[in-house]
Amino acid sequence: MKRRQFIGACALPFLATRTGNLLSAQRMVPAGAAIDLSTGVFRRRFTGFGGETPLWGYNGTTPGPLLRFRRGETVTIDVANSLPESTTVHWHGVRVPHAMDGVPHITQPPIKPGERFRYQFAVPDSGTYWYHPHHRSFEQVGRGLFGGLIVEEEKPIEVDRDVAWLIADLLLDPASGAHAPFGRISEHAAEGRLGNLITINGEVSGPDHFMDVRAGERIRMRLINAATARVFRLRFDRHVPTVIAYDGQAITPHVPDGSTILLGPGMRADLVIDCEGRPGERFAIDDAVSGKVLATLRYRDEDMLRSRLRGAPLQLARNELPVPNLKKPTTHTIEFRGGSYGPPAIGMVDGKAIPLHEMQNKHGLAWTVNSHALAEDAHEVAPLLTLKQGSTHVINMINGTGFVHPMHLHGHFFRVLDYNGVKPKHEEWRDTVFMHPWDEVTIAVVAGEPGDWMFHCHILEHAAAGMMGVIRVE
Ligand code: C2O
Ligand code: CU
């Protein structure tokens, strides 16, 4: 079978143009041919650090290759594992068959070092997605294992350029460049592992990270938060971002409150930015959470595009997602507890109720979902909820902790009905929804394909420390 070729995701900051030159370069191998993804360790030196950093990546890069598919096509991805430990690949947001979901023990055995696993599935929904391991993900993602996955619309909106940004971070020892130790309970029971080096497509972020633009250009930006724990709130200095999709799903094009984009781990946003500055000007793209400048929008000198696209429509076609029947839902409550401060959690571990300090000390667990703490590598799981395929469910999620949690459901898109009783301004479909401390968020979902689907916090240290559960569809 023929193998598809890639342009490494790092080689170019953007991989598709309206004219399609780069896009067609990515399509040298016909659709339907198998793709090889090989995990492995490689080293690179980041400026400002005293030594080389051992990174884990796919095909020798982090992020791994940016995969681009056409909606509806069936893709085959052969994963070879050259890591010193087992792994799996989860296709975050893609509604894959249960057996292809990449959850160790639940949907497949872990791929051991030296072994291979073939993933094959159709991509039913257009949009911006990503892939990452689901085995010891707090460490594997934290070492650089993740990549972008784009499913093209049949009729994409017209833009001059299509740019994908995978934003992540690394926590490195400044002197040696080595990773700080993984798995510390102090991180797992609090904000998670926050890095000291924020990367954009694997490159060091900061004022010297340039995104070159032409005056008059219209850019589609696909933002993917691949950090294990860091929350970003992006600002575009005098440029007004129009959000056109969250988690790959179309939303009425709108400028978000304060013109900032909130992105918890796992979440994606598609934006359109019209470059209305003048040749030679520079603008900072910064993160309001860390206060750091992540990149500089640098206008080329004396180079103007006539903004012929300004005013062109931005509404994306919606994917065909099952629509909740809100006249006859079954209602559920899911409550999250735990963390290093706040109301004490009592967790169930192996069917026994134990207090939080014992969960932490003995089991490395710090969070509960409806009083249960589930570790990421659990083999057998009692479901949080059992739902009948095709039925509608309204889930009221209560964040009983003083921490933020981006909650992710596998295999489904849900509609966000309200945040603390307030309906979102525009109909919102997501696979990951952000909860501020003490928030209550209500979602509606139609139970999809039968199987056990993970429902977990995408702060991967929280997931590792018990903030996981399973929603069973029968
Ligand atoms: Cu992106 Cu279960 O995760
Ligand atoms: Cu969390």
Side-chain angles (χ1 to χ4, degrees), residues 96-99 101 106 409-412 448-455 469-473:
V96 299
H98 187 254
D101 201 39
I106 296 192
L409 174 61
H410 284 207
H412 296 76
E449 203 199 297
D452 281 358
W453 297 101
M454 303 311 287
F455 174 62
V470 149
I471 293 185
R472 178 168 296 168
V473 179

Side-chain angles (χ1 to χ4, degrees), residues 9 11 94 119 190 194 208 226 265 271 282 315 393 395 431 443:
V94 183
Y119 292 95
L194 298 175
D208 294 338
L271 322 175
R282 292 174 178 210
Q315 175 74 55
H393 298 267
I395 302 174
D431 58 48
I443 62 171

Side-chain angles (χ1 to χ4, degrees), residues 46 91 112 172 192 204 249 332 348 440 451:
F46 291 106
W91 315 94
K112 296 208 184 84
L172 305 179
V204 177
Q249 308 313 307
H332 312 269
M348 300 286 292
E440 284 195 35

Side-chain angles (χ1 to χ4, degrees), residues 210-214 280-283 296-300:
F210 293 107
M211 174 165 150
D212 286 333
V213 299
R214 299 169 73 184
E281 286 192 305
R282 292 174 178 210
F283 302 87
T296 298
L297 210 56
R298 180 169 68 180
Y299 280 72
R300 289 191 208 163

Side-chain angles (χ1 to χ4, degrees), residues 90 92-93 103 130 132-134 266 408 410 454 456 458 460 468:
H90 170 59
H92 184 125
V103 181
W130 65 300
H132 63 79
H134 222 279
H408 173 46
H410 284 207
M454 303 311 287
H456 65 88
H458 222 287
L460 297 173
M468 288 208 133

Side-chain angles (χ1 to χ4, degrees), residues 126 153-155 157 248-250 314-320:
S126 57
E153 294 94 18
E154 274 107 42
K155 281 198 209 116
I157 55 159
Q249 308 313 307
L314 294 178
Q315 175 74 55
L316 295 169
R318 290 185 183 273
N319 289 312
E320 287 157 29

Side-chain angles (χ1 to χ4, degrees), residues 113-441:
E115 285 186 353
R116 307 175 69 88
F117 188 88
R118 167 165 285 195
Y119 292 95
Q120 191 165 52
F121 50 84
V123 286
D125 306 310
S126 57
T128 303
Y129 306 98
W130 65 300
Y131 58 96
H132 63 79
H134 222 279
H135 182 68
R136 296 177 25 79
S137 59
F138 69 96
E139 178 165 344
Q140 296 194 359
V141 174
R143 286 181 181 273
L145 279 168
F146 53 80
L149 192 162
I150 292 170
V151 182
E152 290 158 14
E153 294 94 18
E154 274 107 42
K155 281 198 209 116
I157 55 159
E158 231 191 315
V159 294
D160 295 303
R161 266 201 292 149
D162 186 322
V163 178
W165 265 21
L166 285 104
I167 318 175
D169 63 356
L170 294 163
L171 183 59
L172 305 179
D173 175 63
S176 69
H179 297 276
F182 285 90
R184 290 184 288 202
I185 191 76
S186 57
E187 287 172 347
H188 287 210
E191 274 84 10
R193 181 184 176 90
L194 298 175
N196 54 358
L197 171 60
I198 298 174
T199 58
I200 298 171
N201 294 337
E203 300 298 327
V204 177
S205 69
D208 294 338
H209 186 108
F210 293 107
M211 174 165 150
D212 286 333
V213 299
R214 299 169 73 184
E217 204 174 17
R218 171 169 277 190
I219 297 178
R220 175 174 183 169
M221 276 191 93
R222 302 170 185 265
L223 302 174
I224 302 170
N225 184 347
T228 62
R230 187 180 283 279
V231 175
F232 295 95
R233 192 182 274 283
L234 294 184
R235 297 189 292 205
F236 298 85
D237 187 17
R238 280 171 283 169
H239 288 69
V240 180
T242 301
V243 175
I244 57 169
Y246 284 126
D247 294 353
Q249 308 313 307
I251 190 165
T252 304
H254 67 282
V255 176
D257 287 345
S259 291
T260 64
I261 311 288
L262 177 72
L263 219 56
M267 298 168 73
R268 290 89 65 213
D270 282 43
L271 322 175
V272 169
I273 291 178
D274 285 320
C275 298
E276 291 174 344
R278 284 195 303 272
E281 286 192 305
R282 292 174 178 210
F283 302 87
I285 301 177
D286 76 340
D287 163 35
V289 178
S290 62
K292 289 191 173 128
V293 173
L294 300 184
T296 298
L297 210 56
R298 180 169 68 180
Y299 280 72
R300 289 191 208 163
D301 294 323
E302 307 307 324
D303 183 15
M304 291 267 255
L305 265 187
R306 244 189 299 137
S307 341
R308 57 174 194 90
L309 289 178
R310 215 185 299 162
L314 294 178
Q315 175 74 55
L316 295 169
R318 290 185 183 273
N319 289 312
E320 287 157 29
L321 304 175
V323 178
N325 174 3
L326 293 172
K327 288 200 193 93
K328 275 178 46 203
T330 312
T331 306
H332 312 269
T333 299
I334 295 184
E335 188 173 5
F336 308 97
R337 303 286 289 256
S340 51
Y341 58 84
I346 295 196
M348 300 286 292
V349 177
D350 301 332
K352 251 184 58 208
I354 56 168
L356 181 69
H357 68 268
E358 195 178 315
M359 281 170 48
Q360 288 192 11
N361 298 340
K362 271 214 202 138
H363 306 274
L365 298 170
W367 308 91
T368 61
V369 183
N370 283 354
S371 294
H372 286 258
L374 178 69
E376 196 188 24
D377 59 350
H379 288 238
E380 257 177 64
V381 181
L384 281 172
L385 306 175
T386 302
L387 315 178
K388 218 174 113 245
Q389 182 176 21
S391 57
T392 291
H393 298 267
V394 167
I395 302 174
N396 182 29
M397 301 194 293
I398 302 172
N399 181 2
T401 81
F403 295 84
V404 305
H405 304 288
M407 295 306 305
H408 173 46
L409 174 61
H410 284 207
H412 296 76
F413 288 94
F414 48 78
R415 221 184 112 182
V416 182
L417 298 183
D418 70 74
Y419 293 96
N420 300 311
V422 182
K423 244 175 87 174
K425 276 193 208 133
H426 305 282
E427 193 171 304
E428 250 179 64
W429 292 81
R430 296 185 181 264
D431 58 48
T432 308
V433 65
F434 194 84
M435 303 185 82
H436 290 93
W438 318 112
D439 265 4
E440 284 195 35
V441 176

